[in-house]
């Protein structure tokens, strides 16, 4: 009972923490009229000093994992990928409405399923394949809509100089969708690689605490350098503190930025523990649930803004994704039962063969 309750705590903690990250960034977009993807990514990874203390404590109290040395190469790869995920995800959240962002970000279920087959050599059953197809259909149904500045009409209008303003909106929409899809691909790869790197040490407390640390330190070193290219700090950061900004409050913006850091700490802690206890595919189902909560929350919290571009097909797409979530969870349970049956059958077959081999040896 206790492991089940602990897993439930991890799931609820992840859903609330990860959803609040999206709401915090949309608060900056809508109430401060600022787009700060690099600053958001920097704050999301700034929790690493606290994580370093947690890891130090774990090293003092827990048994080390069974491995040869520290996996510097593997963790460096994960760190670079995590930094890219944070940046691309921030761009997607900044450029898209909350509802359409969470719909596009559910493509992580598709990427995770494909990568689990290619990297982990897992098999997908009919329920998991159905879930992947449903998510793919839902995303296309929501995004490819000529009535909004989207992919359905973007390429035609982008060539029309008479629609300069529309072309800019469509370009930003394409940038948001592309960044979101790329971030979800890298995020799925991170989850799969985390499970693969951990291997037999999957449940080791050392490893579970190392992953949130290295995936925050590397981005924290690299992201400030991107400001030289983007000039975001000179173009957008001033909007957060100018005295005439609607909804301006010094305390509020500092609270939001601090909340991003603390939410990501809880997010990564829960994520790594869920993967350790279950699997990367199971986590993607939890992540899909989180995105549904985040999308509905964004629509409610920022209704006056979100209602303008949110269409009826967006809610249908979210409903289909929730159905896919159920299929993913059930498919995971079916796959676990199949694996246990195969292990039992192999064991029983080995026990039956053993006396026959012994008898054969005596005859010879």
């Amino acid at each position: 009972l206790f492991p089940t309750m602990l897993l439930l705590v991890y799931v609820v903690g992840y859903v609330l923490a990860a959803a609040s990250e999206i709401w915090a960034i949309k608060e900056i977009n809508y109430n401060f009229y600022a787009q700060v993807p690099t600053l958001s990514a920097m704050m999301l990874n700034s929790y690493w000093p606290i994580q370093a203390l947690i890891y130090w404590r774990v090293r003092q109290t827990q048994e080390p994992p069974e491995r040869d040395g520290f996996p510097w190469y593997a963790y460096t790869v994960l760190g670079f990928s995590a930094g890219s995920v944070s940046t691309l995800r921030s761009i997607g959240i900044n450029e898209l409405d909350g509802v359409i962002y969470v719909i596009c970000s559910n493509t992580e279920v598709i990427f995770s399923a494909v990568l689990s087959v290619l990297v982990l050599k897992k098999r997908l059953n009919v329920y998991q394949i159905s879930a992947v197809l449903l998510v793919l259909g839902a995303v296309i149904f929501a995004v490819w809509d000529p009535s909004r500045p989207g992919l359905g009409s973007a390429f035609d209008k982008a060539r029309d100089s008479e629609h300069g303003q529309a072309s800019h909106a469509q370009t930003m929409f394409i940038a948001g969708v592309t960044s979101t899809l790329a971030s979800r691909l890298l995020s799925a790869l991170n989850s799969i690689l985390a499970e693969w790197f951990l291997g037999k040490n999957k449940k080791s407390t050392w490893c579970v605490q190392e992953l949130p640390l290295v995936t925050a330190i590397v981005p924290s070193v690299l992201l400030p350098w991107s400001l030289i290219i983007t000039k975001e700090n000179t173009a957008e950061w001033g909007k957060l503190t100018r005295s005439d900004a609607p909804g301006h409050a010094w305390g509020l913006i500092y609270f939001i930025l601090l909340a991003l850091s603390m939410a990501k700490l809880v997010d990564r802690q829960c994520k790594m523990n869920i993967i350790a206890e279950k699997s990367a595919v199971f986590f993607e189902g939890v992540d899909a649930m989180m995105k549904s909560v985040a999308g509905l929350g964004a629509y409610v919290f920022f209704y006056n803004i979100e209602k303008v571009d949110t269409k009826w097909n967006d809610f249908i797409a979210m409903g289909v994704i929730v159905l896919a979530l159920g299929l993913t969870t059930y498919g995971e349970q079916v796959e676990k039962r199949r694996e246990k049956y195969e292990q039992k059958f192999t064991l029983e077959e080995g026990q039956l063969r053993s006396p026959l081999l012994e008898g054969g040896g005596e005859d010879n």
Side-chain angles (χ1 to χ4, degrees):
L1 179 61
F2 180 73
T4 303
M5 292 299 296
L6 188 59
L7 178 63
L8 180 61
V9 170
Y10 290 143
V11 169
V12 174
Y14 176 78
V15 169
L16 294 179
S20 66
E21 296 167 23
I22 297 174
W23 299 333
I25 294 175
K26 298 317 293 180
E27 174 74 15
I28 294 174
N29 293 159
Y30 294 150
N31 286 337
F32 291 87
Y33 302 130
Q35 292 186 325
V36 286
T38 306
L39 176 62
S40 301
M42 289 167 59
M43 293 306 302
L44 286 169
N45 289 284
S46 64
Y47 68 84
W48 67 264
I50 299 176
Q51 181 60 36
L53 293 175
I54 297 174
Y55 177 55
W56 175 81
R57 180 59 181 167
V58 165
R59 288 180 65 96
Q60 304 301 312
T61 58
Q62 302 294 325
E63 292 294 324
E66 299 177 13
R67 64 187 182 191
D68 297 326
F70 190 82
W72 291 105
Y73 176 76
Y75 282 158
T76 301
V77 171
L78 281 175
F80 273 99
S81 182
S84 301
V85 168
S86 296
T87 305
L88 291 169
R89 177 173 177 260
S90 294
I91 293 173
I93 297 174
N94 276 275
E95 296 296 345
L96 301 175
D97 293 333
V99 173
I100 196 66
Y101 166 77
V102 299
I103 292 173
C104 292
S105 63
N106 272 295
T107 51
E108 188 167 346
V109 174
I110 302 173
F111 297 133
S112 181
V114 173
L115 290 171
S116 67
V117 173
L118 297 178
V119 179
L120 300 178
K121 307 302 180 185
K122 291 187 175 183
R123 290 187 294 181
L124 300 180
N125 55 43
V126 63
Y127 302 103
Q128 292 168 318
I129 294 174
S130 299
V132 168
L133 295 177
L134 282 174
V135 171
L136 179 61
V139 172
I140 294 174
F141 183 62
V143 173
W144 208 275
D145 179 8
S147 67
R148 64 152 42 101
L151 299 179
S153 57
F155 298 106
D156 291 334
K157 287 189 176 182
R159 291 192 297 264
D160 190 347
S161 59
E162 295 181 3
H163 296 83
Q165 186 174 359
S167 297
H168 177 73
Q170 308 238 345
T171 300
M172 293 300 98
F173 185 89
I174 293 174
V177 171
T178 304
S179 298
T180 301
L181 296 181
S183 73
R184 294 309 89 199
L185 172 60
L186 289 175
S187 180
L189 179 61
N190 267 7
S191 298
I192 296 295
L193 289 179
E195 185 173 352
W196 182 56
F197 287 151
L198 291 177
K200 63 182 179 181
N201 292 313
K202 182 179 177 181
K203 295 184 181 293
S204 168
T205 308
W206 278 41
C207 296
V208 170
Q209 297 301 328
E210 283 171 355
L211 286 169
L213 180 60
V214 297
T215 53
I217 287 180
V218 175
S220 295
V221 173
L222 297 177
L223 282 170
W225 292 96
S226 66
L227 293 173
I228 299 175
I229 301 174
T230 63
K231 306 294 184 182
E232 177 187 301
N233 55 325
T234 56
E236 295 290 326
W237 290 12
K239 297 178 181 179
L240 302 178
T241 55
R242 74 179 193 270
S243 58
D244 62 333
H248 170 79
W250 285 90
L252 177 59
I253 192 61
Y254 289 133
F255 173 79
I256 291 173
L257 295 177
L258 179 62
L260 283 174
S261 181
M262 294 299 98
K264 180 54 73 174
L265 174 62
V266 176
D267 166 345
R268 289 233 172 106
Q269 280 283 334
C270 293
K271 174 181 178 177
M272 297 308 174
N273 277 283
I274 291 171
I275 293 175
E277 292 297 325
K278 288 293 187 177
S279 67
V281 174
F282 178 85
F283 168 74
E284 296 307 333
V286 175
D287 194 50
M289 178 171 61
M290 178 280 294
K291 288 168 180 133
S292 296
V293 171
L296 291 174
Y299 187 75
V300 172
F301 297 152
F302 309 106
Y303 175 75
N304 289 333
I305 300 174
E306 291 274 338
K307 69 178 181 180
V308 175
D309 290 320
T310 302
K311 311 297 182 182
W312 61 269
N313 53 326
D314 295 335
F315 293 104
I316 293 178
M318 290 183 67
V320 172
I321 289 170
V322 171
L323 174 61
L325 166 62
L327 287 174
T328 301
T329 304
Y330 183 71
E332 176 79 4
Q333 294 175 348
V334 170
E335 201 62 22
K336 291 288 186 183
R337 289 198 294 267
R338 182 191 63 79
E339 290 176 359
K340 288 182 179 179
Y341 175 79
E342 289 183 351
Q343 291 173 358
K344 181 181 179 182
F345 178 78
T346 302
L347 179 61
E348 291 176 349
E349 187 179 27
Q351 291 173 344
L352 289 173
R353 285 184 177 182
S354 181
L356 295 176
L357 292 175
E358 291 176 1
E362 291 174 0
D363 292 340
N364 291 331

